[in-house]
Amino acid sequence: MSSTMTMPVRVPDDLGERYARLAKQTGRTRSYYINEALAESIDRLEYEYGIMKQVEDYRAGRLSTYSLDEVEQSLGLGN
């Protein structure tokens, strides 16, 4: 059995009611559907915030960059 962590989360009333209604209609728990939604979105969120961090690093001069000519030369694709 996998371990779990309890996390207090505040959600808007309408969203909480939708999860409660879905749970009642399907016989599953609200926690089940909330966990499904969290698991489905975490990859996208990590990816998007990772890109935003790289943009910040680039703008701050903390990211090494290479010109197209340098990349082509290192790959042996030059003329």
Side-chain angles (χ1 to χ4, degrees):
M1 179 177 189
S2 66
S3 63
T4 61
M5 175 189 302
T6 300
M7 296 173 43
V9 177
R10 294 179 187 264
V11 297
D13 289 339
D14 62 326
L15 187 57
E17 290 168 6
R18 289 175 65 188
Y19 276 108
R21 189 170 43 251
L22 179 62
K24 185 176 180 181
Q25 291 172 347
T26 62
R28 292 195 180 262
T29 64
R30 283 183 300 173
S31 292
Y32 171 83
Y33 288 110
I34 292 169
N35 280 305
E36 287 290 304
L38 291 171
E40 188 174 305
S41 66
I42 190 66
D43 288 338
R44 178 185 53 83
L45 291 169
E46 288 174 333
Y47 176 75
E48 289 174 1
Y49 283 97
I51 288 174
M52 290 183 350
K53 173 73 169 102
Q54 288 180 340
V55 169
E56 289 174 13
D57 288 346
Y58 171 76
R59 289 180 176 163
R62 295 186 299 260
L63 187 66
S64 298
T65 59
Y66 302 93
S67 70
L68 179 57
D69 290 337
E70 290 172 320
V71 172
E72 287 177 342
Q73 184 178 10
S74 72
L75 296 174
L77 300 174
N79 293 333

